[in-house]
Coordinates of all heavy atoms in Angstrom, one line a residue:
V343 N 29.0 -23.7 41.2 CA 30.2 -23.6 42.0 C 30.7 -25.0 42.2 O 30.0 -25.9 42.6 CB 29.9 -22.9 43.3 CG1 31.2 -22.7 44.1 CG2 29.1 -21.6 43.1
A345 N 34.5 -27.0 43.8 CA 35.7 -26.7 44.6 C 36.6 -28.0 44.7 O 36.1 -29.1 44.4 CB 35.3 -26.3 46.0
P346 N 37.9 -27.8 45.0 CA 38.7 -29.0 45.1 C 38.2 -29.9 46.3 O 38.4 -31.1 46.2 CB 40.1 -28.5 45.5 CG 40.0 -27.0 45.5 CD 38.6 -26.6 45.2
E347 N 37.5 -29.3 47.3 CA 36.9 -30.1 48.3 C 35.5 -29.5 48.5 O 35.4 -28.3 48.7 CB 37.6 -29.9 49.7 CG 39.0 -30.4 49.7 CD 39.8 -29.8 50.8 OE1 39.2 -29.0 51.6 OE2 41.0 -30.1 51.0
P348 N 34.5 -30.3 48.6 CA 34.4 -31.7 48.2 C 34.8 -32.0 46.8 O 34.6 -31.1 46.0 CB 32.9 -32.1 48.5 CG 32.2 -30.7 48.3 CD 33.1 -29.7 48.8
I373 N 35.1 -21.9 40.2 CA 35.9 -22.8 41.0 C 36.3 -22.1 42.2 O 37.2 -21.2 42.2 CB 37.2 -23.3 40.2 CG1 36.9 -23.6 38.8 CG2 37.9 -24.5 41.0 CD1 35.9 -24.7 38.6
N374 N 35.7 -22.4 43.4 CA 36.1 -21.8 44.6 C 37.2 -22.5 45.3 O 37.5 -23.7 45.0 CB 34.8 -21.7 45.5 CG 35.1 -20.8 46.7 OD1 35.8 -19.9 46.7 ND2 34.4 -21.2 47.8
K375 N 37.8 -21.9 46.4 CA 38.8 -22.5 47.2 C 40.1 -22.8 46.4 O 40.7 -23.8 46.5 CB 38.4 -23.8 47.9 CG 37.1 -23.7 48.6 CD 36.8 -25.0 49.5 CE 35.4 -25.1 50.0 NZ 35.1 -26.2 50.9
V376 N 40.4 -21.9 45.5 CA 41.7 -22.1 44.7 C 42.9 -22.1 45.6 O 43.9 -22.6 45.3 CB 41.9 -21.0 43.6 CG1 41.0 -21.3 42.4 CG2 41.8 -19.6 44.1
D377 N 42.7 -21.5 46.8 CA 43.8 -21.5 47.8 C 44.1 -23.0 48.2 O 45.2 -23.3 48.8 CB 43.5 -20.7 49.0 CG 42.1 -21.1 49.7 OD1 41.1 -20.9 49.0 OD2 42.1 -21.6 50.8
R378 N 43.2 -23.9 48.0 CA 43.4 -25.3 48.3 C 43.6 -26.2 47.1 O 43.6 -27.4 47.2 CB 42.1 -25.8 49.0 CG 41.8 -25.1 50.3 CD 42.8 -25.4 51.4 NE 42.4 -26.7 52.0 CZ 41.6 -26.8 53.1 NH1 41.1 -25.7 53.6 NH2 41.4 -27.9 53.7
V402 N 38.4 -18.7 41.9 CA 38.3 -17.7 43.0 C 38.5 -18.4 44.3 O 38.6 -19.6 44.5 CB 36.8 -17.1 43.0 CG1 36.5 -16.5 41.7 CG2 35.8 -18.1 43.4
S403 N 38.7 -17.5 45.3 CA 38.8 -18.0 46.7 C 38.0 -17.0 47.6 O 38.3 -15.8 47.6 CB 40.2 -18.1 47.2 OG 40.2 -18.2 48.6
A404 N 37.0 -17.5 48.2 CA 36.2 -16.7 49.2 C 37.1 -16.3 50.3 O 36.9 -15.3 51.0 CB 35.0 -17.4 49.6
K405 N 38.1 -17.1 50.6 CA 39.0 -16.9 51.7 C 40.0 -15.9 51.5 O 40.2 -15.0 52.3 CB 39.7 -18.3 52.1 CG 40.3 -18.3 53.4 CD 40.8 -19.7 53.7 CE 41.7 -19.7 55.0 NZ 42.2 -21.1 55.2
T406 N 40.7 -15.9 50.3 CA 41.8 -15.0 50.1 C 41.3 -13.8 49.2 O 42.0 -12.8 49.1 CB 43.0 -15.6 49.4 OG1 42.5 -16.0 48.1 CG2 43.5 -16.9 50.1
G407 N 40.2 -13.9 48.6 CA 39.7 -12.9 47.7 C 40.2 -13.0 46.3 O 39.8 -12.2 45.4
L424 N 23.7 -19.0 42.8 CA 24.9 -19.8 43.1 C 24.3 -21.2 43.4 O 23.5 -21.4 44.3 CB 25.6 -19.3 44.3 CG 26.4 -18.0 44.2 CD1 27.1 -17.6 45.5 CD2 27.4 -18.0 43.1
S425 N 24.8 -22.2 42.6 CA 24.3 -23.5 42.9 C 25.5 -24.5 42.9 O 26.6 -24.1 42.4 CB 23.3 -24.0 41.8 OG 23.9 -23.7 40.5
G426 N 25.3 -25.6 43.5 CA 26.5 -26.6 43.6 C 26.4 -27.4 44.8 O 25.6 -27.0 45.7
Q427 N 27.2 -28.4 44.9 CA 27.2 -29.3 46.1 C 27.3 -28.6 47.4 O 27.9 -27.5 47.5 CB 28.5 -30.2 46.0 CG 28.5 -31.3 45.1 CD 29.9 -31.7 44.8 OE1 30.6 -31.2 43.9 NE2 30.4 -32.7 45.5
S428 N 26.9 -29.2 48.4 CA 27.0 -28.7 49.8 C 28.5 -28.5 50.1 O 29.2 -29.5 49.8 CB 26.3 -29.6 50.8 OG 26.3 -29.0 52.0
G429 N 28.9 -27.4 50.7 CA 30.3 -27.3 51.2 C 31.2 -26.7 50.2 O 32.4 -26.5 50.5
V430 N 30.8 -26.4 49.0 CA 31.7 -25.8 48.0 C 32.0 -24.3 48.3 O 33.0 -23.7 47.7 CB 31.2 -25.9 46.5 CG1 31.2 -27.4 46.1 CG2 29.8 -25.3 46.3
G431 N 31.2 -23.7 49.1 CA 31.4 -22.3 49.5 C 30.5 -21.3 48.9 O 30.9 -20.1 48.8
K432 N 29.3 -21.7 48.6 CA 28.3 -20.7 48.0 C 28.0 -19.6 49.0 O 28.0 -18.4 48.7 CB 27.0 -21.4 47.6 CG 27.2 -22.5 46.6 CD 26.0 -23.3 46.3 CE 25.4 -24.1 47.4 NZ 26.2 -25.2 47.9
S433 N 27.8 -20.0 50.3 CA 27.4 -18.9 51.3 C 28.7 -18.1 51.6 O 28.6 -16.9 51.8 CB 26.9 -19.6 52.5 OG 25.7 -20.3 52.3
S434 N 29.8 -18.7 51.6 CA 31.1 -18.0 51.9 C 31.3 -16.9 50.8 O 31.7 -15.8 51.1 CB 32.3 -18.9 52.0 OG 32.0 -19.9 52.9
L435 N 31.1 -17.3 49.5 CA 31.2 -16.4 48.4 C 30.2 -15.2 48.6 O 30.6 -14.1 48.4 CB 31.0 -17.1 47.1 CG 32.2 -17.9 46.6 CD1 31.8 -18.8 45.4 CD2 33.4 -17.0 46.2
T436 N 29.0 -15.6 48.9 CA 27.9 -14.6 49.1 C 28.4 -13.6 50.2 O 28.3 -12.4 50.0 CB 26.6 -15.2 49.4 OG1 26.3 -16.3 48.5 CG2 25.5 -14.3 49.4
N437 N 28.9 -14.1 51.3 CA 29.4 -13.3 52.3 C 30.4 -12.3 51.9 O 30.5 -11.1 52.3 CB 30.0 -14.1 53.5 CG 28.9 -14.5 54.5 OD1 28.0 -13.7 54.8 ND2 29.0 -15.7 55.0
T438 N 31.4 -12.8 51.1 CA 32.5 -12.0 50.6 C 32.0 -10.9 49.6 O 32.5 -9.8 49.7 CB 33.5 -12.9 50.0 OG1 33.7 -14.1 50.8 CG2 34.9 -12.2 49.9
K443 N 25.8 -9.1 54.5 CA 25.0 -10.2 54.4 C 24.7 -11.0 55.7 O 23.5 -11.4 56.0 CB 25.6 -11.2 53.4 CG 24.6 -12.4 53.1 CD 25.3 -13.7 53.2 CE 24.4 -14.8 53.3 NZ 25.0 -16.0 53.7
H459 N 23.4 -21.6 60.7 CA 24.7 -22.0 60.2 C 24.6 -22.7 58.8 O 25.4 -22.5 58.0 CB 25.4 -22.9 61.1 CG 25.8 -22.1 62.4 ND1 26.6 -21.0 62.3 CD2 25.5 -22.3 63.7 CE1 26.8 -20.5 63.5 NE2 26.1 -21.3 64.4
T460 N 23.5 -23.4 58.6 CA 23.3 -24.1 57.3 C 22.4 -23.3 56.4 O 21.4 -22.7 56.9 CB 22.8 -25.5 57.5 OG1 21.7 -25.4 58.4 CG2 23.8 -26.4 58.1
T461 N 22.6 -23.4 55.1 CA 21.7 -22.7 54.2 C 20.5 -23.7 54.0 O 20.7 -24.8 53.5 CB 22.4 -22.5 52.9 OG1 23.6 -21.9 53.1 CG2 21.6 -21.6 52.0
T462 N 19.4 -23.3 54.5 CA 18.2 -24.2 54.4 C 17.2 -23.7 53.3 O 16.4 -24.5 52.8 CB 17.4 -24.3 55.7 OG1 17.2 -22.9 56.2 CG2 18.2 -25.1 56.7
D477 N 21.7 -17.1 47.0 CA 22.5 -18.2 47.6 C 21.5 -19.4 47.9 O 20.5 -19.1 48.4 CB 23.1 -17.7 49.0 CG 23.9 -18.8 49.7 OD1 24.3 -19.7 49.1 OD2 24.0 -18.6 50.9
S478 N 21.9 -20.5 47.4 CA 20.9 -21.6 47.5 C 21.5 -22.8 48.3 O 22.7 -22.9 48.4 CB 20.4 -22.1 46.1 OG 21.5 -22.8 45.5
P479 N 20.7 -23.6 48.9 CA 21.2 -24.8 49.7 C 21.7 -25.8 48.7 O 21.2 -25.9 47.6 CB 20.0 -25.3 50.4 CG 18.8 -24.6 49.9 CD 19.2 -23.5 48.9
G480 N 22.7 -26.5 49.1 CA 23.4 -27.5 48.3 C 22.5 -28.6 47.8 O 22.8 -29.3 46.8
V481 N 21.3 -28.8 48.4 CA 20.5 -29.9 47.9 C 19.5 -29.5 46.8 O 18.9 -30.3 46.2 CB 19.6 -30.3 49.1 CG1 20.4 -31.1 50.1 CG2 18.8 -29.2 49.7
A482 N 19.5 -28.2 46.4 CA 18.6 -27.7 45.4 C 19.0 -28.1 44.0 O 19.4 -27.3 43.2 CB 18.4 -26.2 45.5
Ligands
GTP880 N1 40.1 -22.8 52.1 C1 38.9 -22.3 51.8 N2 37.8 -22.7 52.4 C2 36.6 -22.2 52.0 C3 36.5 -21.2 51.0 N3 35.2 -20.9 50.8 C4 34.5 -21.6 51.7 N4 35.4 -22.4 52.5 C5 34.9 -23.3 53.6 O1 34.1 -24.3 53.1 C6 33.1 -24.7 54.0 C7 31.8 -24.7 53.4 O2 31.4 -23.4 53.0 P1 29.9 -22.9 52.8 O3 30.0 -21.5 52.3 O4 29.1 -23.1 54.0 O5 29.4 -23.9 51.7 P2 28.0 -23.9 50.9 O6 28.2 -24.2 49.5 O7 27.2 -22.7 51.3 O8 27.3 -25.2 51.6 P3 25.7 -25.5 51.8 O9 25.0 -24.3 52.3 O10 25.6 -26.7 52.7 O11 25.2 -25.8 50.4 C8 33.3 -23.7 55.2 O12 34.0 -24.4 56.2 C9 34.1 -22.6 54.6 O13 34.9 -21.9 55.6 C10 37.7 -20.9 50.3 O14 37.8 -20.1 49.3 N5 38.9 -21.5 50.7

Side-chain angles (χ1 to χ4, degrees):
V343 186
E347 297 160 1
I373 317 299
N374 186 35
K375 309 193 194 182
V376 287
D377 56 291
R378 299 289 277 270
V402 304
S403 167
K405 195 172 171 186
T406 67
L424 291 180
S425 48
Q427 281 160 276
S428 185
V430 292
K432 300 177 294 295
S433 299
S434 308
L435 282 170
T436 308
N437 271 323
T438 317
K443 187 231 165 195
H459 294 301
T460 48
T461 311
T462 49
D477 179 21
S478 73
V481 290

